[in-house]
Amino acid sequence: MTRNLPAAHSSSTMRSLKERQREERAALILAAAQEVFTERGYYDASIDEIAARAGIAKGTVYLHFASKEDLLVALVEQQIVGFLSFVDQIIGEPLTVRARVEQILLNVYTRMQEQRNQVLLELNNRIGLTKSVIEKRENLQAHITQAMQRITALLEEGQRSGELDSTVPTPLLVATFVTLVSPSGYELLLISGQISPAQLAAYVSRIFFPRLAAPSLQQA
Amino acid sequence: MTRNLPAAHSSSTMRSLKERQREERAALILAAAQEVFTERGYYDASIDEIAARAGIAKGTVYLHFASKEDLLVALVEQQIVGFLSFVDQIIGEPLTVRARVEQILLNVYTRMQEQRNQVLLELNNRIGLTKSVIEKRENLQAHITQAMQRITALLEEGQRSGELDSTVPTPLLVATFVTLVSPSGYELLLISGQISPAQLAAYVSRIFFPRLAAPSLQQA
Amino acid sequence: MTRNLPAAHSSSTMRSLKERQREERAALILAAAQEVFTERGYYDASIDEIAARAGIAKGTVYLHFASKEDLLVALVEQQIVGFLSFVDQIIGEPLTVRARVEQILLNVYTRMQEQRNQVLLELNNRIGLTKSVIEKRENLQAHITQAMQRITALLEEGQRSGELDSTVPTPLLVATFVTLVSPSGYELLLISGQISPAQLAAYVSRIFFPRLAAPSLQQA
Amino acid sequence: MTRNLPAAHSSSTMRSLKERQREERAALILAAAQEVFTERGYYDASIDEIAARAGIAKGTVYLHFASKEDLLVALVEQQIVGFLSFVDQIIGEPLTVRARVEQILLNVYTRMQEQRNQVLLELNNRIGLTKSVIEKRENLQAHITQAMQRITALLEEGQRSGELDSTVPTPLLVATFVTLVSPSGYELLLISGQISPAQLAAYVSRIFFPRLAAPSLQQA
DNA sequence: GATGAATGAGACTTCATTCAT
DNA sequence: AATGAATGAAGTCTCATTCAT
């Protein structure tokens, strides 16, 4: 009696299957890491708990990430990339700068509320990601730089169009914006009690933009 | 003939001497701790290094602070208290809200530049000071609450006077302000390159206040 | 106005006065040490607490005892000497061996109940006094040997007189006796609930002596 | 043709294999701990030395025992359980109380001589096992209580049968017995020089039982 | 002589990382 | 590839002892 193998997959298919499985595994670990890092902070998070939460063994984590620091960096990078792609998408839309800024705020705050990730985790050293760590990682460095450039471009456009105060150095505007968008900023913003991401975005926008400028999102 | 006793240090003098020495020692340790915490973050800072930096033995640290956490809390408290006293002083002055806000910004940024302390270290969890830690310390908790109340009062006044947008919930304004004043915010602000604390304060103020509102500090 | 010094003591008087004060101090420390050692055991007892309990400074302890171990040894020695002198006194009395044994039991148990000391602390390693420690101290060694010799002599006499089983090697009888008289034995004996030292002594004697042998203490 | 899978270890076999290895490891550590605790006492024993003696790394100890105290408690429990099972076995035999007591003594002294363990380590606080420690451990507490109950039952039976003096409160007899069987008692008994466990058991029995009572072990 | 601040060796314990199975 | 037992560096904290005042 012969065994009927389910149609010999081409080696390339096999590889891509394995590849896919591997990536799924990595994503699973990253998700677990995100949870634990968020709950406990980088130092109090243990590889043991991350592995347990991902349903795998401790050693397996190291098949995907070379070290705990690497895991953090990968996580941060993932988030930056996600942020970057959203920004790239929004930035091309035919809206006022203010409207686009508000879209970004809304996206960030919504994701934060969903606890699904803490965007821009990395622009901020909340978890203990020291500058030296970032500097060692060229990729990460590059992604962060790109994100900052996008934001800079957007806000510069706002200054040129008069939506933003052009007497303030752009980098300062950028810094302010980033601060408002970072997790620690978000946490503080939450002090005001239950407030929806949309409201939060609108209010922050109102603070950020000259109060007499054009209206936005809400009432367009 | 009477013997002139050698100045018979009054017991109160003696006590205050020892007391003073003790406080100096504690201050020395706090300064070293500040340095190391700032350089390495709370977790990567070791008591060993703090002691070495202070020029004392490891055990001596524990004569003054019961634990590493205690050391951090004391440091944070010291800074909050300093911040609080400055705010209390400035808040009573007969100036516009904007002018007073700028004074505060100036003070904070100046001290940060001098590396002498990182004010509001605590309102932010940069170093890993978890919320649970703060909650255990009633004193610290109280001081933070007070500081927030002062800021809230000031900004509320600004909203009533029309200097600040009164349609934004005050807690949100407070959160934004605190974010801009916290170390992580400061670090970002520095991205714009060499800029003096005074300029920084002015620019941040310009962002924070409606651009068409009354002038301030600069040109009064 | 002249001060009237209280009659220049002769240097010898002075010396003996100082000597006496010194000894009092030492006794004070020993008493405190006894308390703390008993409450916490040797290792969990801290010099700090002993000094505090004696109402002196930590450093002062070291003016009287070279080390923590020394303090323990001195304490033990003090107790052995006290035990020895009591035994020497009782051993010469014209009583049956059993009666004298009961006197010793009574004395030991009474003192234990009074918590004032834990006689024979040292024949037993309850506190963690290791054999090696004892061996280093010739004096202590000698005192313990003497005490054992006195007990041995007494029990040998009992074996000769027929009060004790002469077919049992004397050292074994001695060991049994010492065990019953040591603190750990005493603690176990207390399990039986509230019982007076006198009762305890009588019962232990009854166990120790052949039940059909001559009567004793109790019943004349 | 069928493939003979390599013995397809049933999951239960696998588990029991790991389980067995784990237990062996734990036993190895306990043995090393026993040695070191015995040589140095609880406080002067270091985890470092225990690990070295077991031929493993320090951290490995903590994979099996949560703390140094836990290690001690486990050791003590192991011994109590062994003692208990032996007593349970012997207690049912159709022998005189005296014969059974002698069996117990013989067993205990033999094991002590073999240095393999120090039975009843725990009924005695030789190592510094404080009462408070025992009280925290319900299991240990329960085992000790059981052991005491067995001994109590046995000696009560002896009192009823006339082998033991019924005028002495049973708890006192129990205490005396336990004292003679505990490590510190054993050590003292050894003072009499080289003596076999059997002789020791016989002599102690002779002391413990009324000298005119029935003969025993020896001459059956 | 008395003090108690300072010292620093050393203890326990954690946990990222490795590697034999 | 996956596992998880083992490792051992490193950290926090204690406390006996010293010594300048």
Side-chain angles (χ1 to χ4, degrees):
Chain A
M1 177 186 151
T2 52
R3 274 193 293 155
N4 227 335
L5 291 183
H9 293 292
S10 78
S11 116
S12 91
T13 307
M14 290 294 282
R15 169 157 287 283
S16 81
L17 174 65
K18 287 218 168 168
E19 202 62 23
R20 219 178 311 134
Q21 284 183 340
R22 188 180 165 74
E23 276 165 28
E24 275 169 27
R25 199 69 123 171
L28 195 66
I29 296 172
L30 280 178
Q34 167 122 251
E35 270 183 48
V36 182
F37 283 157
T38 302
E39 280 176 29
R40 305 216 189 295
Y42 180 67
Y43 283 90
D44 286 335
S46 75
I47 298 289
D48 251 324
E49 182 166 2
I50 292 171
R53 202 90 63 112
I56 60 175
K58 185 167 27 171
T60 306
V61 174
Y62 285 85
L63 296 178
H64 295 266
F65 303 95
S67 69
K68 190 181 179 184
E69 193 182 290
D70 245 59
L71 188 49
L72 175 59
V73 168
L75 187 56
V76 163
E77 194 155 11
Q78 185 192 51
Q79 296 178 3
I80 285 275
V81 169
F83 176 73
L84 199 55
S85 88
F86 179 80
V87 169
D88 275 341
Q89 171 193 324
I90 227 57
I91 223 165
E93 307 241 329
L95 298 169
T96 62
V97 169
R98 180 171 190 171
R100 281 175 284 167
V101 163
E102 286 178 355
Q103 293 283 3
I104 294 172
L105 291 172
L106 181 58
N107 177 265
V108 168
Y109 292 149
T110 301
R111 294 206 304 198
M112 279 181 172
Q113 197 192 41
E114 287 168 355
Q115 285 284 12
R116 222 173 307 115
N117 66 8
Q118 308 224 190
V119 179
L120 296 191
L121 205 53
E122 69 315 328
L123 295 184
N124 184 280
N125 30 23
R126 164 165 202 267
I127 315 192
L129 188 58
T130 28
K131 210 171 292 184
S132 66
V133 171
I134 297 182
E135 281 161 5
K136 277 190 306 187
R137 316 295 178 134
E138 299 196 0
N139 269 352
L140 185 50
Q141 184 84 305
H143 285 314
I144 292 179
T145 302
Q146 268 188 51
M148 296 296 272
Q149 285 172 344
R150 297 291 190 286
I151 301 295
T152 300
L154 182 60
L155 299 188
E156 257 174 357
E157 187 187 332
Q159 288 183 305
R160 280 197 304 274
S161 75
E163 287 180 83
L164 285 168
D165 190 334
S166 60
T167 69
V168 173
T170 319
L172 255 175
L173 281 182
V174 173
T176 307
F177 178 76
V178 167
T179 299
L180 291 172
V181 131
S182 67
S184 65
Y186 177 69
E187 243 167 61
L188 278 168
L189 294 175
L190 286 188
I191 293 177
S192 44
Q194 281 310 86
I195 188 171
S196 74
Q199 284 175 301
L200 199 53
Y203 285 136
V204 168
S205 165
R206 200 173 305 172
I207 293 173
F208 201 61
F209 285 85
R211 251 55 88 222
L212 304 186
S216 80
L217 215 62
Q218 270 74 22
Q219 40 156 312
Chain B
M1 177 187 150
T2 52
R3 273 196 294 152
N4 230 334
L5 290 183
H9 293 296
S10 79
S11 112
S12 91
T13 306
M14 291 296 282
R15 168 158 289 282
S16 83
L17 175 64
K18 287 226 167 160
E19 203 63 22
R20 217 177 314 136
Q21 284 184 341
R22 187 179 168 74
E23 276 165 28
E24 273 169 29
R25 203 60 134 172
L28 192 68
I29 296 171
L30 281 178
Q34 168 122 248
E35 269 184 48
V36 182
F37 283 158
T38 301
E39 279 175 31
R40 305 218 188 293
Y42 179 68
Y43 284 92
D44 285 334
S46 77
I47 298 289
D48 256 322
E49 182 167 1
I50 292 172
R53 201 83 69 105
I56 60 176
K58 191 174 15 175
T60 306
V61 173
Y62 286 89
L63 256 36
H64 295 267
F65 303 94
S67 67
K68 190 182 178 184
E69 192 182 294
D70 245 59
L71 186 50
L72 174 61
V73 168
L75 187 57
V76 164
E77 193 155 12
Q78 186 192 49
Q79 298 178 1
I80 284 275
V81 168
F83 176 73
L84 199 54
S85 89
F86 179 79
V87 169
D88 275 340
Q89 171 194 324
I90 227 57
I91 222 166
E93 307 244 327
L95 298 169
T96 62
V97 169
R98 181 171 188 169
R100 280 175 283 167
V101 163
E102 287 177 354
Q103 293 283 4
I104 294 173
L105 291 173
L106 181 58
N107 178 266
V108 167
Y109 293 149
T110 300
R111 296 207 302 198
M112 278 182 173
Q113 197 192 40
E114 288 168 354
Q115 284 284 12
R116 223 178 300 117
N117 67 5
Q118 308 223 191
V119 179
L120 295 190
L121 206 51
E122 69 315 330
L123 295 184
N124 184 282
N125 33 21
R126 162 160 205 270
I127 314 193
L129 188 58
T130 27
K131 213 171 289 186
S132 67
V133 170
I134 297 183
E135 281 161 6
K136 278 191 307 189
R137 317 295 181 133
E138 298 198 1
N139 269 352
L140 185 50
Q141 183 85 306
H143 285 315
I144 292 179
T145 303
Q146 267 189 50
M148 295 298 272
Q149 285 172 344
R150 297 292 190 284
I151 301 296
T152 300
L154 182 61
L155 299 189
E156 259 175 357
E157 187 186 332
Q159 289 183 306
R160 280 198 304 273
S161 75
E163 285 179 85
L164 284 168
D165 189 334
S166 60
T167 69
V168 174
T170 317
L172 255 174
L173 281 182
V174 172
T176 306
F177 178 77
V178 168
T179 299
L180 292 172
V181 130
S182 67
S184 64
Y186 177 70
E187 244 168 61
L188 280 168
L189 294 175
L190 286 188
I191 293 177
S192 46
Q194 281 309 86
I195 189 171
S196 75
Q199 284 175 302
L200 198 54
Y203 286 136
V204 168
S205 166
R206 201 172 304 171
I207 294 172
F208 201 62
F209 285 85
R211 253 56 86 219
L212 305 185
S216 81
L217 215 60
Q218 271 72 24
Q219 43 154 310
Chain C
M1 174 188 146
T2 53
R3 274 193 295 152
N4 227 337
L5 292 183
H9 294 292
S10 79
S11 118
S12 92
T13 306
M14 290 294 281
R15 169 157 287 282
S16 82
L17 176 63
K18 286 219 168 169
E19 202 63 23
R20 218 177 314 134
Q21 284 184 338
R22 189 179 164 74
E23 277 165 29
E24 272 169 30
R25 200 68 124 168
L28 195 66
I29 295 172
L30 281 178
Q34 166 122 250
E35 270 183 47
V36 182
F37 283 157
T38 301
E39 280 176 31
R40 305 218 189 293
Y42 179 67
Y43 283 90
D44 287 334
S46 76
I47 298 288
D48 251 323
E49 182 166 2
I50 291 172
R53 202 90 64 111
I56 60 176
K58 186 166 28 171
T60 307
V61 173
Y62 285 85
L63 296 177
H64 295 267
F65 303 94
S67 68
K68 189 181 179 185
E69 193 182 291
D70 246 59
L71 188 49
L72 174 60
V73 168
L75 186 57
V76 164
E77 195 155 9
Q78 186 192 50
Q79 296 177 3
I80 285 275
V81 169
F83 176 72
L84 200 55
S85 89
F86 179 79
V87 170
D88 275 342
Q89 171 194 325
I90 227 59
I91 221 165
E93 307 242 329
L95 298 170
T96 62
V97 169
R98 180 170 191 169
R100 280 175 283 168
V101 163
E102 286 178 354
Q103 292 284 3
I104 294 173
L105 290 173
L106 182 59
N107 177 265
V108 168
Y109 292 149
T110 301
R111 295 207 302 199
M112 280 182 172
Q113 197 191 43
E114 287 169 354
Q115 284 285 13
R116 224 178 301 116
N117 67 7
Q118 307 223 191
V119 179
L120 296 190
L121 205 53
E122 69 315 327
L123 295 184
N124 185 281
N125 31 24
R126 164 163 203 269
I127 315 191
L129 187 58
T130 28
K131 211 171 293 183
S132 67
V133 170
I134 296 182
E135 280 161 5
K136 278 190 307 188
R137 315 295 179 135
E138 300 196 359
N139 269 353
L140 185 50
Q141 184 84 306
H143 285 314
I144 291 178
T145 302
Q146 269 188 50
M148 295 297 272
Q149 285 172 343
R150 295 294 190 284
I151 301 296
T152 300
L154 182 60
L155 299 189
E156 258 175 358
E157 186 186 333
Q159 288 184 305
R160 281 197 304 274
S161 75
E163 286 180 86
L164 284 167
D165 189 335
S166 61
T167 68
V168 175
T170 319
L172 256 175
L173 281 182
V174 173
T176 307
F177 178 76
V178 168
T179 299
L180 291 172
V181 132
S182 67
S184 65
Y186 177 70
E187 242 168 63
L188 278 168
L189 295 174
L190 286 188
I191 293 176
S192 45
Q194 281 309 86
I195 188 170
S196 74
Q199 283 175 302
L200 197 53
Y203 285 135
V204 168
S205 164
R206 200 173 304 171
I207 294 172
F208 201 62
F209 285 87
R211 253 57 87 220
L212 305 186
S216 82
L217 216 62
Q218 270 73 23
Q219 42 157 311
Chain D
M1 178 184 146
T2 52
R3 272 197 295 154
N4 231 334
L5 292 182
H9 294 296
S10 77
S11 111
S12 90
T13 306
M14 290 297 282
R15 169 157 288 283
S16 82
L17 174 65
K18 288 228 167 158
E19 203 63 21
R20 218 176 313 134
Q21 284 184 341
R22 189 180 167 74
E23 276 165 28
E24 273 168 30
R25 203 60 135 173
L28 192 68
I29 295 172
L30 281 178
Q34 167 121 249
E35 270 183 47
V36 181
F37 282 159
T38 300
E39 280 175 31
R40 305 219 188 292
Y42 179 68
Y43 284 91
D44 284 334
S46 77
I47 297 289
D48 255 322
E49 182 167 2
I50 291 172
R53 201 83 69 105
I56 60 175
K58 194 172 12 176
T60 306
V61 174
Y62 287 88
L63 293 178
H64 295 268
F65 303 94
S67 67
K68 189 182 179 184
E69 192 182 294
D70 245 59
L71 187 49
L72 174 60
V73 168
L75 189 56
V76 164
E77 194 155 11
Q78 185 194 47
Q79 297 178 2
I80 285 275
V81 168
F83 176 73
L84 198 55
S85 90
F86 180 78
V87 169
D88 275 340
Q89 171 194 324
I90 227 57
I91 222 164
E93 307 243 329
L95 298 169
T96 60
V97 168
R98 180 168 189 172
R100 281 174 284 168
V101 163
E102 286 178 355
Q103 293 283 4
I104 295 173
L105 290 173
L106 181 58
N107 178 265
V108 167
Y109 292 149
T110 300
R111 296 205 305 197
M112 279 181 172
Q113 197 193 40
E114 288 168 354
Q115 282 285 13
R116 224 176 304 115
N117 67 6
Q118 308 223 191
V119 179
L120 297 190
L121 206 52
E122 70 315 329
L123 297 184
N124 185 282
N125 33 22
R126 164 161 204 269
I127 316 193
L129 187 58
T130 26
K131 213 170 290 186
S132 68
V133 170
I134 296 183
E135 280 161 7
K136 278 192 306 190
R137 316 296 180 131
E138 298 196 1
N139 269 352
L140 186 50
Q141 183 85 306
H143 286 314
I144 291 179
T145 303
Q146 268 187 49
M148 295 298 271
Q149 285 171 343
R150 295 294 190 284
I151 301 296
T152 300
L154 182 61
L155 300 189
E156 258 174 359
E157 187 186 332
Q159 289 184 305
R160 281 196 303 274
S161 75
E163 287 180 84
L164 284 167
D165 190 334
S166 60
T167 67
V168 174
T170 317
L172 254 176
L173 281 182
V174 173
T176 306
F177 178 76
V178 168
T179 299
L180 291 172
V181 131
S182 67
S184 64
Y186 176 70
E187 244 168 58
L188 279 168
L189 294 175
L190 286 188
I191 293 177
S192 44
Q194 281 309 85
I195 189 171
S196 75
Q199 284 174 303
L200 198 53
Y203 287 136
V204 168
S205 165
R206 201 173 303 171
I207 294 173
F208 201 62
F209 285 85
R211 253 54 88 218
L212 304 185
S216 81
L217 215 62
Q218 269 73 24
Q219 42 155 311

